[in-house]
Amino acid sequence: EVQLVESGGGLVKPGGSLRLSCAASGFTFSNAWMSWVRQAPGKGLEWVGRIKSKTDGGTTDYAAPVKGRFTISRDDSKNTLYLQMNSLKTEDTAVYYCTTVANWGWHFDIWGQGTMVTVSS
Amino acid sequence: QSALTQPRSVSGSPGQSVTISCTGTSSDVGGYNYVSWYQQHPGKAPKLMIYDVSKRPSGVPDRFSGSKSGNTASLTISGLQAEDEADYYCCSYAGRWVFGGGTKLTVL
């Protein structure tokens, strides 16, 4: 079964850091481009960033609100995607979803169940 | 990139058809055929319903269809069913991804 399972969410103070993980199974993770998408409480979806597969260069790209503060990385030996979040702000409070970028496409075809991050003093 | 514009809500009775619009610019929706649509039930993860403007993943009923004209994409749901009540989000890729604000579909 194809599956993405996020973990690592929780409560953190403004200015703090948190690392999210996303464990993948049921597909060849090393070949997949991966993305993070977030959703603030009661709000819409917002793309956070993307990492290519290592064979495609392994490069990352980020949305403007998180650039310079968030870092996406991957460990293909562990089939795991990471999101390192630093200098957190209250507006980063959201459910964070891990997704795959479809092969030969520009859409998100597999989604995890999400993990909640709350930034509050 | 600014968020794509969707109506906040639409509604329809069982068996009817509804259309949800998604307006962008010539730099995103109008410039590429990379519009996708996601369905999200309360407390659940989004689910891909349409990609590349009008293609349906396997398992998605053919009651769901997509189209595009100029800078506006549309999702049409025909033969509305109670389980279609959900939030729907459009998304466009133009180097980066941008989502619409979401539309709440109510089945009366």
Side-chain angles (χ1 to χ4, degrees):
Chain A
E1 180 192 5
V2 173
Q3 199 171 11
L4 296 171
V5 179
E6 302 93 335
S7 61
L11 175 63
V12 60
K13 288 182 166 51
S17 297
L18 204 61
R19 188 178 83 157
L20 306 183
S21 299
C22 170
S25 59
F27 65 98
T28 306
F29 178 75
S30 60
N31 290 345
W33 291 26
M34 302 294 296
S35 233
W36 288 94
V37 174
R38 69 183 180 182
Q39 186 171 34
K43 302 296 185 182
L45 301 172
E46 180 185 24
W47 176 71
V48 171
R50 173 271 293 151
I51 186 166
K52 295 182 178 180
S53 63
K54 285 198 165 53
T55 55
D56 288 327
T59 55
T60 53
D61 192 20
Y62 301 93
V66 307
K67 195 166 187 177
R69 300 187 299 121
F70 289 13
T71 301
I72 299 174
S73 61
R74 62 192 301 157
D75 185 338
D76 291 345
S77 69
K78 295 181 179 178
N79 288 347
T80 301
L81 177 73
Y82 301 101
L83 178 64
Q84 177 67 44
M85 302 184 292
N86 298 331
S87 303
L88 281 161
K89 306 175 181 180
T90 55
E91 53 263 41
D92 295 319
T93 294
V95 174
Y96 284 75
Y97 294 101
C98 163
T99 77
T100 57
V101 179
N103 290 333
W104 315 113
W106 300 105
H107 50 279
F108 307 115
D109 53 356
I110 305 168
W111 294 69
Q113 86 289 350
T115 187
M116 182 71 202
V117 172
T118 302
V119 184
S120 175
S121 53
Chain B
Q1 285 172 303
S2 299
L4 308 176
T5 300
Q6 297 181 232
R8 298 201 71 156
S9 64
V10 297
S11 62
S13 299
Q16 289 186 331
S17 294
V18 295
T19 296
I20 301 171
S21 61
C22 170
T23 301
T25 69
S26 58
S27 297
D28 40 57
V29 174
Y32 304 87
N33 288 325
Y34 298 139
V35 176
S36 51
W37 290 88
Y38 302 87
Q39 176 192 65
Q40 186 180 36
H41 287 107
K44 300 294 187 182
K47 174 188 175 183
L48 177 68
M49 303 301 285
I50 295 287
Y51 67 97
D52 292 353
V53 175
S54 60
K55 298 176 181 176
R56 262 180 294 108
S58 60
V60 172
D62 59 6
R63 303 184 294 102
F64 291 83
S65 63
S67 62
K68 190 184 83 168
S69 177
N71 298 336
T72 298
S74 299
L75 173 71
T76 298
I77 309 169
S78 59
L80 267 179
Q81 299 182 4
E83 59 261 34
D84 299 333
E85 184 163 295
D87 294 326
Y88 291 84
Y89 294 91
C90 63
C91 182
S92 177
Y93 177 79
R96 290 175 173 165
W97 288 271
V98 59
F99 283 93
T103 298
K104 181 176 181 57
L105 168 63
T106 300
V107 180
L108 302 170

